[in-house]
Amino acid sequence: MTARESTIQQLNIAAQAAHDKGAEDLVALDVSEPLPFVDVFFIATGRNERNVMAVAGEIEDQLNAAGHKTLRREGRSEGRWILIDFGDLVVHVFHEEERLYYSLERLWKDCPVLPLAVPAAAAAE
């Protein structure tokens, strides 16, 4: 199984929104093989709690404006790790310390990394 084209379109919206708000280390993982109910994990890092909240808010606003409904959101009040579930796309916006601690890329290292069409993606590779 591979990520659907509709999910890739959502991913591109999310990546651009994250980039526009200054997120760093943007990574997209195709988790459709081990997780049949999700296609892509999108991971981004904010420099501080305010930036984490701003990045997550912009991603959610842009995806909602494009017609993609938020199914669930967690962690917004703390601003350390915000998870936003859009169904086939799950967005993780981390504070730097939490990103290092939880290291989702290491946990899901067997999953293919998807290319992102934003300049900040080059820093993650």
Side-chain angles (χ1 to χ4, degrees), residues 45 78 124:
T45 301
E78 295 85 22

Side-chain angles (χ1 to χ4, degrees), residues 36-112:
F37 52 90
V38 175
D39 281 354
V40 175
F41 279 176
F42 175 58
I43 307 166
T45 301
R47 295 176 308 280
N48 54 50
E49 287 87 352
R50 282 183 75 169
N51 187 230
V52 169
M53 289 188 274
V55 169
E58 184 69 9
I59 291 170
E60 189 169 14
D61 289 348
Q62 292 302 318
L63 282 168
N64 290 165
H68 305 288
K69 184 179 178 191
T70 304
L71 301 179
R72 185 178 60 215
R73 178 188 327 104
E74 297 180 20
R76 191 163 182 94
S77 61
E78 295 85 22
R80 303 292 292 183
W81 176 5
I82 299 175
L83 180 144
I84 311 168
D85 183 356
F86 293 96
D88 292 331
L89 173 68
V90 176
V91 174
H92 302 267
V93 183
F94 285 100
H95 186 281
E96 292 171 311
E97 294 166 1
E98 274 69 13
R99 175 87 179 252
L100 289 172
Y101 181 79
Y102 289 103
S103 189
L104 290 186
E105 296 94 331
R106 189 169 27 110
L107 182 65
W108 297 97
K109 68 183 175 205
D110 294 335
C111 296

Side-chain angles (χ1 to χ4, degrees), residues 5 15 30 35 75 77 93 117:
E5 185 59 36
D30 183 338
L35 298 175
S77 61
V93 183

